[in-house]
Amino acid sequence: GRLYLNKVFHISANKMFEMLFTDSSFTRKFMGIRRITNPSFTPWQKDDSGNDRRNLNYTITIDNPLIGKFSTATEKQTLYKESREGQYYLVDAEVNTHDVPYHDYFYTHNRYYIISISKRKCRLRVYCDVKYRKPPWGLVKSFISKNSWSGIEDYFRQLETELMEEEAEMNQSAAES
Ligand code: YK8
């Protein structure tokens, strides 16, 4: 996969996990900014292999006039059992967009690492990959990959910006108290 985000934040690892992977006010706010609507989340639940899983459903807003304005999406997240609360979290997410052209050909795989650096700092790393379910015709493949990478890049650039905002606000109020 390609590395899309690799940054140290003045936010503890468990706070970062809570912000990104629970039904948090940060998630709600970020979805609002990205015009992601109708979100529904299942709670984290252990599967047979001992990992935790949850599913997200939402509607994304798309700016590309060639594609259509909206698509429903499902995101299946796995929190691996190797994760250690407060220390180290590894989450895989598989994102399927159901209403875009050629949606049955591809999905997106995102891997999130949250690594504690100190009591109040963590590193966040995100890798992304576009995966194919069946081999697309060359032109279709380049169409899918071009549109996917630009969308993914945009999303994670904005996630980084919003996390930095949140970090600044959190550390501001910590300094005042
Ligand atoms: C998640 C990857 C591709 C998809 C989109 C597909 C166009 C296909 C065009 C045809 C619309 C929140 C994206 C960007 C939608 C948004 C997805 C998000 C950002 C003509 C071939 C949704 C992370 C994520 C992963 C993949 C993104 C899609 O948390 O271009």
Side-chain angles (χ1 to χ4, degrees):
R2 300 190 198 173
L3 184 59
Y4 271 92
L5 211 159
N6 181 18
K7 201 175 155 47
V8 173
F9 293 93
H10 286 247
I11 297 174
S12 68
N14 62 319
K15 177 71 185 169
M16 183 64 86
F17 178 81
E18 187 213 296
M19 283 162 67
L20 296 178
F21 297 107
T22 66
D23 186 359
S24 66
S25 57
F26 177 82
T27 293
R28 295 277 171 182
K29 184 179 153 200
F30 188 60
M31 284 182 156
I33 293 170
R34 296 298 308 183
R35 290 177 295 159
I36 294 175
T37 58
N38 305 317
S40 72
F41 309 75
T42 65
W44 285 109
Q45 233 163 4
K46 271 231 186 318
D47 71 6
D48 297 336
S49 54
N51 301 319
D52 284 292
R53 287 175 178 275
R54 66 169 194 157
N55 294 321
L56 281 66
N57 291 296
Y58 44 79
T59 303
I60 55 166
T61 307
I62 304 167
D63 279 320
N64 189 332
L66 293 174
I67 300 172
K69 222 169 152 11
F70 304 100
S71 175
T72 56
T74 52
E75 179 164 344
K76 288 183 195 151
Q77 297 182 343
T78 306
L79 168 64
Y80 287 97
K81 57 170 181 258
E82 288 74 21
S83 303
R84 290 287 166 269
E85 203 181 337
Q87 292 300 312
Y88 170 78
Y89 299 85
L90 171 55
V91 176
D92 271 350
E94 185 185 308
V95 182
N96 283 280
T97 45
H98 303 293
D99 310 307
V100 301
Y102 309 111
H103 60 90
D104 47 338
Y105 282 87
F106 73 100
Y107 64 93
T108 307
H109 177 258
N110 303 328
R111 171 162 283 192
Y112 297 80
Y113 292 93
I114 301 171
I115 306 148
S116 174
I117 292 181
S118 70
K119 214 172 152 200
R120 290 191 181 80
K121 276 189 196 172
C122 73
R123 179 180 290 279
L124 174 64
R125 277 211 185 100
V126 185
Y127 293 89
C128 304
D129 220 346
V130 179
K131 304 265 198 189
Y132 294 91
R133 291 189 196 287
K134 49 186 182 183
W137 189 45
L139 203 63
V140 170
K141 187 171 180 173
S142 66
F143 205 31
I144 293 170
S145 102
K146 182 175 161 282
N147 283 287
S148 299
W149 289 122
S150 62
I152 292 167
E153 194 181 324
D154 191 56
Y155 181 86
F156 286 104
R157 201 187 300 126
Q158 192 159 25
L159 180 63
E160 179 172 334
T161 306
E162 291 308 315
L163 283 171
M164 286 167 72
E165 285 261 315
E166 192 76 12
E167 174 189 48
E169 277 171 33
M170 281 168 51
N171 293 316
Q172 176 75 35
S173 41
E176 279 164 4
S177 65

